[in-house]
Every structure is written in structure tokens, then in C-alpha cells.
Amino acid sequence: MNKNIVIVGSQFGDEGKGKVVDLLTEHVSAVVRYQGGHNAGHTLVINGEVTKLHLIPSGVMHEGVKCLVGNGVVLSPDALIKEIAGLEARGVAVRDRLHVDFCCVLVLPYHVALDQAREIKKGKKAIGTTGRGIGPAYEDKVSRRAIRLADLCGNEERFAEKLKTVMAYHNYMLENFYETEPVNYQTVLDECLAMKSQLCELATDVTGMLEAYREENANLLFEGAQGTFLDIDHGTYPFVTSSNTTAGGVSTGTGFGPCYLDYVLGITKAYTTRVGAGPLPTELSDEVGDWLTEKGREFGTTTGRKRRCGWFDAMLVKRAVMLNSFSGLCITKLDVLDGLKEIKVCVGYEFEGKPLKSPSFGATSFAKCKPVYKTFPGWTDSTAKITKYDELPENARTYLKFIEEFVGAPIHMISTGPDRVDTVVLKDLFG
Ligand code: IMP
């Protein structure tokens, strides 16, 4: 029986993880975020009502389920408090449900200033970050100068001193290297201290809580943000985010040991999208691309940016199966493909005119890969809101069958619409 399930995006993020997490939450005691920050954007639709989340785990809409933010997450105090206030205004009792690890690194205004100054300086080579300060915050973590939630919750003088030192360093860079305005120390200090009591009420040892859940034999859900190919190590570097988005990030980002994990679900869009710069071999800049953007409402939850759209890249997802040891897949947005005459799937690449045996996914060589396609007939019937596999059009079933065989992981769920209920469940994951 599976007790501890991990949800990971198998492409470039925006695969629809939030909906699946929300759907599975009724089976668990806690939903846990393990990496990323408020660069993430998860959209939930419950009884037609839309909720957008960035930092708070997607289980928050369920009473009696704890939402835990693990040490691997970088935490913007300001973004967290705004998100809590937004949910509370709608009657969701967030503070009873939410706990944040003391070791979370804080994302502060100088990280945002650095992120944005860097992107401007890079000009055409910009990564297209969300501009939320995520990269600079993770840099502070690995350079061992970061300010963590524990620092804010500890002695005020020590916190002020630490902030002064780190800000002197970053302001020097902002003024002298990026030739831009520094960030005011006193303002940041005052803002942090003003939020201190609200934040510190939520602070805890998440690792210890997880161990207690394990001892109780409780079910847990670990919610990934972004997607496999935005992973700092395994993604299309340097066009990546700054954390380990792959399943391995669960253990480092929460302190929950790898052997305690039972099942990894790869959330996989029925086509491919990417937001921001970086290679996307199957990208479509024709009317089919426009169709996917419009029909799939492919605009970023966090930045509102238009997502780039393309055919399903089975080579990428096959790699994601390996990187994450997916136990099963959930195919999302299948209904967006309804009505297309033909549907293509990338089943190989050509590199400088020759077939490529073992592709490299780093940005430089991946950008030169040309997709080799296999074409499938489309289907005219609507798959929207279907909940039984047998009711899917035959051509849709053929398409899905091919995907699972090619990538080497079984399809255990299919999402046929944004609402919780628009789902085909082929396997009871906690069964
Ligand atoms: P950062 O995470 O803001 O540093 O952005 C780095 C790259 O990751 C950019 O291409 C962003 O567009 C992308 N990115 C970050 N968060 C998300 C997400 O939640 N969904 C999709 N792309 C994301």
C-alpha cells in the first residue's frame, strides 16, 4: 500500500500539478512543498471557483489536512502573508493548517532587485525568470550567507546585524556591477520585524513533524513545483530554475528519507509548454500553436506570460521517467487536443542532420535538436469531463497507449478538464 506519494511535473512546469494534489489531498494527513518558492503558480478549480496558489501547498482547501513548507523552499515573507490574507478573505482557515520549516531561506527585496537587474543586464540572453528573486535567494543559501526563518524568529539584534552584512554585500553589487539603485536596509529591517510575529507563529521543525506522521502510519503527499526540465542539475541549464525540481529534491527539501517514499506520480501534459526562454524543440509557431495556447488557456499563473506551446515530446518525458523513477503518469489537458485533425509526437531527434542516439538536455546542444515526429490521427468527439477510460474516443486511447509504451511508465490518471471531478482514475494510488 502506498503511503507517501510524490507529485512531480515531467516537462517544463504548468502541467496541472495543483489540481492533482488537490484531488489526492482527501487521502492524506499533510501536503508538503519541498522546493521552489512563489515563482510557482498552481490553479485549483473547485465547484467552478478558481484559487491561485504560489507558496502554500495545494492541499490548503481541505479542512483537517496540514500544509507543510519544507526547508528546501525559499520563502518570501511578504508573498506568504499576502497569500494567507487572500485565502482568509474567502473564509479558508489557513493559519490552523500551515506550518513552515525554520530552515527555509527568506527571499527579501534585495533578491528581487538582483534578479531583475541581472535579467536586464543579460539583455537578449535573459533566462526569462519570474523576477521573484528565487535564483539570488538560492545563491545565498549555497554561499552560506542566507537569512533563514530561524534568524528572523531569534534574537532581533543578531538578525539586524546579519541583515546589515548581507545587504551591504548585495547593495555593493547592485550599485557597482548592475549600476542600479540599492535597497534600503532600514526599510527591509522594519518590514521584516513587522511580519515577524505572524511568520514565527507558523515556524516549526517540519522534518520532525514528518517523522511523527511516519510513526503514526499516516499518508503524506509531496508536491513539486515547476517541472523536471527546469531542474538546476537535470534541466536545460542555464534556462532552469535554481532548485532540484525532480523527485530527489523531496528528501533534501524536507528531511524525509528517500526509502520512505512509495510512489512518484509524473504529471504530464498531453502536449508541451514552456514559459520563459530556453530550448523547446517541438515548439509550434503556427495556427496549431495558437490553438493550443487559446484552447489550453496557456498563460502563466504567476506572471501572466503567454506560454510557448508545442507537440508532445516523448523523448523528454522518457528521460523524466528515468530521472524521477515515475511509478505512474497522470496525463493532463487531453481535452485541449480534441478536434485536431492530426497529432504529432516527438520520438527522436536529429542533430546536425544525423539521428541522435543519446541526446543531451543541456541548453546548448538541446537547442540544436530537431524533432523526428510520429503522426497520429486526431479525434473529433469531445473528451472534456469524461471520467471513464472506455468512453474516450478510440484515437485518443491509441495516442495514450503509445505514450505510455514509449516513455516506459503506465498512465494511472487522465485529466479531462480543470475541475477536480473531470478525471479518469485508472489506479487508486493509495489503494
Ligand atoms: P525563476 O524560477 O523565477 O528563477 O525562473 C527560471 C525559469 O523557470 C524561467 O524560465 C521561468 O519561466 C521558469 N519557471 C519558474 N517557475 C515556474 C513555474 O511555476 N512554471 C513554469 N515555469 C516556471
Side-chain angles (χ1 to χ4, degrees):
M1 196 161 92
N2 300 320
K3 305 216 64 69
N4 302 309
I5 292 186
V6 183
I7 304 282
V8 177
S10 66
Q11 294 145 317
F12 296 97
D14 309 314
E15 296 92 350
K17 297 177 287 293
K19 166 185 157 164
V20 183
V21 171
D22 173 60
L23 185 70
L24 295 175
T25 296
E26 62 176 291
H27 302 284
V28 302
S29 299
V31 181
V32 195
R33 273 280 304 266
Y34 55 91
Q35 47 73 226
H38 64 309
N39 49 349
H42 294 154
T43 307
L44 314 182
V45 183
I46 303 165
N47 300 329
E49 196 181 348
V50 177
T51 304
K52 292 188 176 183
L53 298 170
H54 300 283
L55 255 175
I56 297 178
S58 302
V60 73
M61 306 308 282
H62 294 251
E63 227 178 297
V65 175
K66 292 287 185 189
C67 286
L68 310 182
V69 177
N71 58 276
V73 172
V74 287
L75 186 83
S76 158
D78 181 54
L80 183 67
I81 283 174
K82 284 193 181 128
E83 204 166 311
I84 293 173
L87 286 164
E88 281 180 343
R90 294 174 42 197
V92 183
V94 191
R95 282 169 220 263
D96 300 343
R97 301 177 195 171
L98 184 65
H99 300 274
V100 182
D101 196 89
F102 274 117
C103 296
C104 286
V105 164
L106 299 186
V107 184
L108 292 170
Y110 46 89
H111 295 126
V112 178
L114 281 165
D115 193 357
Q116 295 176 357
R118 256 184 221 160
E119 287 284 275
I120 291 169
K121 198 170 172 99
K122 281 193 166 133
K124 281 190 180 146
K125 291 187 179 151
I127 286 165
T129 70
T130 59
R132 300 291 195 267
I134 304 299
Y138 276 112
E139 283 169 41
D140 271 2
K141 173 174 167 164
V142 292
S143 68
R144 295 169 290 189
R145 65 173 164 253
I147 295 184
R148 310 207 284 189
L149 183 56
D151 295 311
L152 178 62
C153 301
N155 177 285
E156 240 165 66
E157 271 171 32
R158 265 206 313 271
F159 173 76
E161 201 46 47
K162 204 167 177 184
L163 185 69
K164 192 178 243 167
T165 309
V166 79
M167 283 195 69
Y169 172 77
H170 287 311
N171 275 335
Y172 181 85
M173 291 300 284
L174 282 169
E175 282 187 280
N176 297 290
F177 187 72
Y178 295 109
E179 296 169 333
T180 185
E181 291 295 306
V183 176
N184 186 279
Y185 163 69
Q186 196 58 46
T187 311
V188 177
L189 179 63
D190 292 346
E191 283 171 1
C192 285
L193 295 180
M195 292 184 280
K196 174 173 173 159
S197 68
Q198 283 200 69
L199 284 171
C200 299
E201 270 173 21
L202 306 172
T204 191
D205 168 24
V206 165
T207 306
M209 281 186 83
L210 293 174
E211 178 58 11
Y213 279 124
R214 200 177 68 80
E215 282 171 358
E216 281 170 21
N217 225 7
N219 291 349
L220 297 170
L221 194 58
F222 294 86
E223 173 184 5
Q226 293 86 43
T228 296
F229 295 96
L230 291 176
D231 185 285
I232 185 74
D233 288 289
H234 302 290
T236 54
Y237 192 90
F239 299 99
V240 291
T241 192
S242 298
S243 60
N244 284 114
T245 58
T246 42
V250 171
S251 291
T252 50
T254 63
F256 198 69
C259 290
Y260 301 150
L261 302 171
D262 301 305
Y263 179 103
V264 186
L265 181 67
I267 312 297
T268 307
K269 206 180 273 190
Y271 48 98
T272 315
T273 63
R274 174 166 203 160
V275 60
L280 182 60
T282 62
E283 184 164 10
L284 291 163
S285 42
D286 57 7
E287 65 280 9
V288 180
D290 294 341
W291 159 292
L292 296 174
T293 306
E294 290 306 319
K295 199 158 174 225
R297 296 173 304 282
E298 296 295 355
F299 298 92
T301 311
T302 301
T303 56
R305 288 180 291 175
K306 184 172 177 255
R307 296 178 188 139
R308 299 153 64 196
C309 294
W311 294 122
F312 186 83
D313 190 335
M315 292 292 284
L316 265 188
V317 177
K318 191 181 166 102
R319 174 88 173 179
V321 170
M322 181 195 92
L323 291 169
N324 296 291
S325 62
F326 285 148
S327 319
L329 302 179
C330 171
I331 302 291
T332 60
K333 292 196 149 182
L334 182 69
D335 55 303
V336 175
L337 302 179
D338 295 352
L340 284 174
K341 227 191 226 147
E342 56 180 34
I343 298 169
K344 294 186 181 179
V345 174
C346 171
V347 293
Y349 302 118
E350 270 184 7
F351 188 81
E352 294 172 348
K354 294 196 185 96
L356 194 63
K357 276 214 178 101
S358 46
S360 146
F361 294 90
T364 316
S365 46
F366 194 46
K368 292 188 192 153
C369 285
K370 299 265 173 291
V372 176
Y373 287 119
K374 180 171 168 66
T375 303
F376 291 82
W379 51 89
T380 45
D381 294 347
S382 168
T383 63
K385 296 186 174 295
I386 286 184
T387 55
K388 293 195 177 72
Y389 187 79
D390 293 343
E391 289 175 10
L392 292 172
E394 196 186 338
N395 286 353
R397 280 184 274 139
T398 306
Y399 180 67
L400 295 172
K401 199 93 215 123
F402 177 81
I403 288 175
E404 65 180 356
E405 275 167 16
F406 189 95
V407 306
I411 294 173
H412 285 162
M413 289 170 88
I414 302 160
S415 168
T416 54
D419 207 295
R420 245 185 218 169
V421 293
D422 308 330
T423 314
V424 179
V425 179
L426 295 164
K427 185 183 162 81
D428 174 9
L429 303 193
F430 287 99

